[in-house]
Amino acid sequence: MNKMKKKKKGNVSFRINIIFFVVFILFSTLILRLGMLQIVLGENFQREIDQKEIVPINSSVPRGKIYDTNRKLIVGNKPLKAITYTRSNSVKLDEMLDIATELANLINKDSEEDFKSITKRDRQDFWIMKHPNLANAKITKKDKARLQKKELDKKEYDKVIYDLTRERITEEELNSFSKEELEVLAIFREMSSGQALSPHIIKNKDVSDEEYAVVSEHLDSLPGVDTTTDWDRDFVFKDSEGNGPLSSVLGKVTSSKEGLPKDSLDYLLAQGYSRNDRVGKSYIEQQYEEVLQGQKETVRNVTDKSGNVLESQVFKEGKSGNDLVLSVDIELQQKIDAIIQDKLSQAKVGQPYMDRALVSVMNPKTGEMLAMAGKQYVVDNESKKTEVRDFALGNMTTSYSMGSVVKGATVLTGYQTGAIVPGQSLYDQPLKFKGTNVKKSWNSVGFGSINDLYALKRSSNVYMFLTAMKIGGQQTYIPNGPLTINKVEAINKFRKNFAQFGLGVRTGIDLPGEQTGYGAGQIPPDAGKVLDYAIGQYDTYTPLQLVQYISTIANGGFRIQPHIAKEIRKPTSNSDELGPIIQEINPTILNKVDMKESWIKHVQEGLKLVVNDPQGTGYGTIKNKQYKIAGKTGTAEALYDGPLPGHPMLWNVTFVGYAPYDNPEIAISVVVPWSTTDKTHTNLEIADEIFKAYFDLKNTRINQGSVTSSTTQNVETNNAAENSDANE
């Protein structure tokens, strides 16, 4: 019995020892394996991990669309077939050249534009790559010995050798490339100029279906090459010559070749742009770049240390830019463009210097720019033919002596400074100061004793001269006596008050590049220039400043900031409808003029008489009295400073006005510079037809049940203006 127990106990012990031994062997094997991984292979695994790098790549997306106030598309995006190349960090130049050579057999990139973009440096580099032995032969042993004496490091030495080689390539050698070789070079330069790991456009214009298909079929043998869809800006109303309504104000977008503008490169790179991204480079496209530029799709490329892409993952989905709705009525804009071109072409006969006409149209209660129009005759540099081009931009980038249209501001400055009071009479007669030429009104003999309303109606110069004298401290005119006004004090008072209406200062429009005109800070050389200032013949103003000025009078004294953008909306996939509103651009009151409301109403009466009284200077030409138009005519003698040689004294003819005068909803400025005669009425003819076009459109839309939203906003702005007035 004991023997059996001992035997059984021995078997158990033996089995346990076997199990312990097996466990020991397994643990020993595991420890040995871990040791091998940790000690022997650890560096290799760590190196492999270190070689992987996550590189974010942003791909381009279509820009937001631009619509007019009635939701008509003005600028959209046209889809384009595109061929791209993504350069890896490890690719060598000779490998890239092989890809370019093969790609040149599949696509056409031999246009004049393609070849024109090839620089001398491109040709030199390409020649060296194509003829390495000949390139090496251009460096003599003497050259190398001389450079070795300078003790340059390898990088500096190689650069000097390369630069010297390029310099010694002859013009004959640079021009020896065949058309086929130049096509390869055109493709190669695009491939090499792209940012590493970022898709770069090789061709996106006129890519045929055949090219697109055959490249797609050969992608396996073209590493880095891809076929995709790109976009280009599509101006809906553009004509065959590239002109269209508002085209100069809409601005432009850089091409993929241009990429980021140099003057804003660092800023845009800091915002996450890539160097070859297309961005707005002028006017609306530039001003609203952050709105129109979409959210780019971000792709994470996992690369090894050599830069080869191991895998790609979409990190952030891209989306199109937001849409921009303008305050501009494109149908009204087109009608005004046609009016300007028609009237300007008629007036230009026998007028060699008259090459442009400009019109700004604004809602005086909201600041919405309903139209910015301009036409200019330009001689094309290549064809030498005279063309009519859009010059809407000139409303804010060019300035002129505007003449008598500023007399409303002159009279109000007279009230404000205490020089005159509403209804005051002054004697209009030719004024002769000692040592000066006669200063008089346009009718030569004068109007006699007249009040301020008559002075506005008949556009009296002398009434304004006498007002300016009083502002400058001289109360009485003495025939053949001296002009003793304080010119510095007088001009400063004028400019301070004119600025309240927007004359001589920036209007604040939401566009870059606005000019203020000439005059601010300049002291007149003589006191007589102060009198000229009072009739609009010293400082210069932009047409945009004029429309802000007349709007301030029209709405009762509120200087409203003009704006061309009305709404920002989310993009939608449905081209027939707009997305929800993100932001609405509301009216901004820049200031309320420091003048009594009764004074402004008094001047408004004078402006009504200009158009509606038979003696008014605008009565005969502005025929559409049913629209209740008020305004002021202007004629300024000015020195020509246009593109033609010479600087003759010419005439600028102008007009500012608004309607209806009892509840204004449209204000306009019309500027036609450089007429050889002051008898032309082109300015008034343009103004008359613009008012008719506006109200005809409005009535048509009312009858169709599609009234524009700007009329509704007038009520809201009236309330805002009343609240602002109450607060002050």
Side-chain angles (χ1 to χ4, degrees):
M1 191 71 168
N2 289 333
K3 286 182 178 181
M4 290 180 64
K5 288 182 178 180
K6 285 181 179 181
K7 187 177 180 179
K8 193 172 184 179
K9 186 175 181 183
N11 290 336
V12 172
S13 299
F14 177 77
R15 291 171 183 166
I16 291 173
N17 289 335
I18 291 295
I19 292 172
F20 277 133
F21 178 75
V22 172
V23 171
F24 172 76
I25 294 298
L26 291 174
F27 268 106
S28 298
T29 303
L30 180 61
I31 291 170
L32 181 63
R33 183 60 179 166
L34 289 174
M36 286 285 291
L37 293 173
Q38 182 80 20
I39 299 169
V40 179
L41 301 176
E43 290 185 6
N44 293 335
F45 285 123
Q46 185 63 47
R47 191 180 301 115
E48 185 176 343
I49 292 171
D50 291 341
Q51 286 176 347
K52 291 187 178 180
E53 182 181 4
I54 296 179
V55 181
I57 299 298
N58 295 322
S59 60
S60 181
V61 293
R63 289 175 74 80
K65 302 181 185 70
I66 301 176
Y67 296 84
D68 88 328
T69 189
N70 297 307
R71 316 305 188 251
K72 287 185 178 179
L73 182 65
I74 301 176
V75 183
N77 298 304
K78 179 171 59 177
L80 301 171
K81 298 183 184 71
I83 297 166
T84 66
Y85 176 72
T86 304
R87 178 167 58 89
S88 70
N89 288 321
S90 61
V91 69
K92 297 177 181 178
L93 289 179
D94 56 346
E95 295 173 338
M96 207 184 306
L97 182 58
D98 290 340
I99 298 170
T101 303
E102 185 175 350
L103 192 56
N105 294 324
L106 305 178
I107 66 173
N108 292 321
K109 196 168 175 64
D110 55 1
S111 69
E112 184 179 344
E113 182 183 353
D114 291 324
F115 289 169
K116 191 179 292 185
S117 65
I118 298 174
T119 65
K120 183 177 181 180
R121 175 64 184 263
D122 294 329
R123 287 174 178 261
Q124 290 171 334
D125 293 340
F126 192 59
W127 189 90
I128 292 172
M129 292 183 67
K130 297 285 288 184
H131 307 93
N133 294 331
L134 292 176
N136 290 334
K138 291 186 179 291
I139 304 300
T140 65
K141 291 181 179 179
K142 189 180 292 186
D143 293 327
K144 294 178 181 179
R146 176 173 53 82
L147 291 173
Q148 286 170 354
K149 290 179 181 179
K150 294 185 178 182
E151 298 182 353
L152 302 172
D153 62 33
K154 187 178 186 311
K155 187 175 181 181
E156 292 173 328
Y157 177 83
D158 290 343
K159 183 180 185 305
V160 173
I161 290 291
Y162 195 81
D163 290 343
L164 194 59
T165 304
R166 286 194 303 105
E167 291 174 7
R168 291 178 178 177
I169 301 172
T170 66
E171 288 296 321
E172 183 180 356
E173 289 170 327
L174 289 180
N175 293 323
S176 65
F177 297 121
S178 65
K179 183 179 178 181
E180 289 74 19
E181 288 176 317
L182 287 176
E183 187 174 11
V184 172
L185 174 53
I187 295 173
F188 177 76
R189 75 178 299 276
E190 292 293 349
M191 295 169 67
S192 58
S193 63
Q195 186 178 351
L197 300 179
S198 182
H200 185 75
I201 300 290
I202 301 300
K203 182 177 181 180
N204 63 355
K205 288 186 177 180
D206 303 321
V207 177
S208 67
D209 293 340
E210 183 181 353
E211 286 177 321
Y212 194 82
V214 74
V215 171
S216 298
E217 291 172 2
H218 289 79
L219 292 180
D220 289 342
S221 61
L222 296 168
V225 176
D226 197 6
T227 51
T228 184
T229 302
D230 194 32
W231 57 269
D232 195 12
R233 272 321 221 183
D234 182 27
F235 294 85
V236 176
F237 297 95
K238 181 175 65 175
D239 60 24
S240 59
E241 296 180 352
N243 286 313
L246 210 67
S247 59
S248 61
V249 173
L250 290 169
K252 295 182 178 179
V253 176
T254 61
S255 66
S256 56
K257 288 184 180 180
E258 292 175 285
L260 304 183
K262 289 182 179 179
D263 57 358
S264 55
L265 177 63
D266 292 339
Y267 170 77
L268 292 172
L269 286 175
Q271 298 298 311
Y273 287 85
S274 300
R275 288 179 180 271
N276 62 341
D277 277 347
R278 282 166 290 178
V279 297
K281 64 178 179 179
S282 59
Y283 305 107
I284 290 177
E285 293 278 16
Q286 178 185 353
Q287 181 74 21
Y288 288 96
E289 167 63 23
E290 293 183 4
V291 172
L292 297 168
Q293 182 72 27
Q295 177 182 293
K296 295 185 287 186
E297 179 182 272
T298 301
V299 178
R300 282 181 171 176
N301 283 339
V302 181
T303 68
D304 59 22
K305 193 172 183 180
S306 299
N308 297 310
V309 177
L310 302 178
E311 61 177 309
S312 297
Q313 303 168 341
V314 175
F315 175 67
K316 184 190 292 184
E317 294 288 344
K319 65 177 182 179
S320 300
N322 292 321
D323 295 334
L324 186 67
V325 177
L326 304 183
S327 59
V328 172
D329 183 333
I330 199 66
E331 193 172 354
L332 176 64
Q333 176 83 30
Q334 289 177 297
K335 288 182 178 295
I336 294 175
D337 280 346
I339 291 167
I340 293 174
Q341 186 161 339
D342 176 53
K343 296 299 180 183
L344 184 60
S345 64
Q346 294 177 32
K348 186 171 170 54
V349 177
Q351 295 266 22
Y353 302 101
M354 185 188 287
D355 68 347
R356 66 194 66 184
L358 300 151
V359 171
S360 287
V361 183
M362 176 171 149
N363 184 320
K365 296 178 181 177
T366 67
E368 290 183 0
M369 294 303 302
L370 306 179
M372 285 178 70
K375 292 294 178 183
Q376 181 182 21
Y377 283 86
V378 178
V379 177
D380 184 80
N381 291 330
E382 295 183 2
S383 66
K384 303 303 179 183
K385 293 181 179 179
T386 300
E387 302 174 349
V388 181
R389 295 181 183 172
D390 180 78
F391 195 48
L393 198 58
N395 283 281
M396 55 173 268
T397 60
T398 61
S399 63
Y400 311 89
S401 298
M402 296 299 190
S404 299
V405 289
V406 307
K407 287 177 178 176
T410 299
V411 170
L412 285 164
T413 300
Y415 300 159
Q416 177 63 22
T417 57
I420 58 174
V421 296
Q424 182 172 341
S425 293
L426 298 174
Y427 198 83
D428 185 322
Q429 61 180 325
L431 305 180
K432 180 66 174 73
F433 298 100
K434 185 177 181 180
T436 66
N437 295 324
V438 174
K439 302 184 82 66
K440 58 189 178 182
S441 293
W442 57 269
N443 72 339
S444 299
V445 297
F447 294 110
S449 181
I450 58 174
N451 64 18
D452 46 3
L453 296 185
Y454 190 93
L456 289 171
K457 175 178 70 175
R458 299 291 284 158
S459 200
S460 164
N461 288 342
V462 173
Y463 195 98
M464 308 304 154
F465 294 153
L466 296 174
T467 299
M469 288 170 58
K470 291 176 180 293
I471 291 172
Q474 183 174 348
Q475 300 300 316
T476 306
Y477 162 66
I478 301 174
N480 297 310
L483 181 60
T484 60
I485 68 172
N486 184 328
K487 65 179 183 180
V488 175
E489 181 180 347
I491 202 74
N492 286 340
K493 285 181 179 179
F494 265 123
R495 285 180 177 146
K496 177 183 176 182
N497 282 282
F498 273 43
Q500 291 191 71
F501 296 94
L503 295 172
V505 294
R506 284 188 172 84
T507 65
I509 191 170
D510 52 339
L511 288 171
E514 181 186 5
Q515 303 300 307
T516 58
Y518 169 84
Q522 300 290 323
I523 301 300
D526 57 72
K529 296 298 182 186
V530 177
L531 307 193
D532 293 338
Y533 182 98
I535 62 168
Q537 298 206 159
Y538 185 60
D539 283 5
T540 66
Y541 310 113
T542 66
L544 188 62
Q545 289 172 333
L546 280 194
V547 80
Q548 188 181 54
Y549 145 69
I550 197 63
S551 292
T552 305
I553 292 178
N555 67 33
F558 297 91
R559 184 164 77 100
I560 307 292
Q561 180 177 345
H563 59 93
I564 200 160
K566 184 174 182 177
E567 297 168 349
I568 299 170
R569 289 176 174 261
K570 288 185 178 180
T572 63
S573 56
N574 188 344
S575 59
D576 296 329
E577 62 182 35
L578 290 176
I581 293 178
I582 297 174
Q583 181 184 350
E584 194 169 1
I585 293 30
N586 294 314
T588 299
I589 298 174
L590 299 177
N591 62 268
K592 185 179 186 304
V593 295
D594 186 19
M595 298 172 183
K596 292 181 181 179
E597 185 180 342
S598 59
W599 295 347
I600 296 172
K601 287 184 176 180
H602 194 67
V603 168
Q604 288 174 350
E605 286 300 314
L607 300 182
K608 283 169 57 177
L609 296 174
V610 170
V611 177
N612 298 281
D613 187 286
Q615 290 185 311
T617 53
Y619 181 83
T621 307
I622 297 183
K623 304 181 183 304
N624 289 291
K625 305 293 191 298
Q626 70 271 28
Y627 302 129
K628 299 182 178 180
I629 302 167
K632 185 70 191 77
T633 60
T635 307
E637 192 174 13
L639 189 70
Y640 175 74
D641 61 351
L644 296 181
H647 299 284
M649 292 301 294
L650 300 172
W651 300 92
N652 300 336
V653 291
T654 59
F655 177 81
V656 294
Y658 56 91
Y661 49 66
D662 52 0
N663 186 23
E665 58 188 73
I666 176 177
I668 73 170
S669 68
V670 180
V671 179
V672 184
W674 305 331
S675 169
T676 55
T677 172
D678 61 344
K679 305 304 180 186
T680 180
H681 295 146
T682 306
N683 53 329
L684 303 182
E685 292 170 0
I686 291 173
D688 192 37
E689 291 206 17
I690 289 172
F691 283 117
K692 184 178 187 305
Y694 172 83
F695 285 104
D696 282 353
L697 269 176
K698 179 183 175 181
N699 291 333
T700 298
R701 288 165 179 164
I702 288 174
N703 293 334
Q704 293 174 348
S706 57
V707 185
T708 59
S709 59
S710 58
T711 308
T712 305
Q713 197 173 2
N714 283 341
V715 178
E716 299 170 359
T717 311
N718 277 335
N719 294 336
E722 290 169 6
N723 292 337
S724 175
D725 193 17
N727 291 336
E728 290 188 15

